[in-house]
Amino acid sequence: MTPPRSRRLDEAAVVASAARIADAEGLEAATLSRIASELGVRPPSLYNHVESHAALMRAVALETYVEFGDALRDAAVGRAREDAMRALAVTFRDYATKHPGRYATTVRAPARDDKEAQDLATRGLA
């Protein structure tokens, strides 16, 4: 008899695993093989939840645009001028330091035909 899986495998779990590995070991370490190993499945099982490694990295970037953008917004709310700029700079540095793998997914501009990614990236900057 096969033991039940300790966690439910879905797209969110795969994306979260990729983000954790990228932050802890570097973006290049977040391979499908490494993610599958962390999740206790074989690499082909991931294709039930993500289309490709590129699609997985896009999903990590989309979540990061939202999370990072929210952190920047929260840092600036209620502040003005130099105080706001300082708070943004500190938050930017702290996020990039604490989440280097996730941050790395956002340093390239989204593809021209990826409106969703462009909108989320722009929202974070706004």
Side-chain angles (χ1 to χ4, degrees):
M1 183 156 97
T2 305
R5 287 190 178 149
S6 60
R7 66 175 99 158
R8 185 172 159 236
L9 185 62
D10 58 14
E11 182 180 4
V14 175
V15 172
S17 177
R20 270 192 310 278
I21 292 167
D23 283 345
E25 302 172 28
L27 189 57
E28 64 285 343
T31 63
L32 292 176
S33 178
R34 174 69 181 86
I35 294 162
S37 176
E38 179 177 281
L39 294 171
V41 299
R42 295 172 52 91
S45 299
L46 298 179
Y47 290 104
N48 292 321
H49 309 287
V50 295
E51 183 178 308
S52 64
H53 184 264
L56 176 57
M57 291 300 103
R58 178 185 177 271
V60 171
L62 293 179
E63 286 191 5
T64 302
Y65 290 139
V66 172
E67 183 180 76
F68 192 25
D70 288 350
L72 291 170
R73 179 202 62 224
D74 293 348
V77 168
R79 300 176 192 269
R81 297 190 163 145
E82 293 85 10
D83 188 36
M85 292 303 293
R86 188 173 295 106
L88 286 170
V90 167
T91 300
F92 195 103
R93 182 194 65 219
D94 287 350
Y95 190 92
T97 300
K98 290 177 184 172
H99 305 290
R102 291 178 222 192
Y103 175 74
T105 67
T106 68
V107 296
R108 288 190 196 143
R112 287 182 173 204
D113 61 346
D114 191 344
K115 179 146 175 48
E116 179 183 20
Q118 288 180 0
D119 289 348
L120 289 174
T122 301
R123 186 185 109 191
L125 294 174

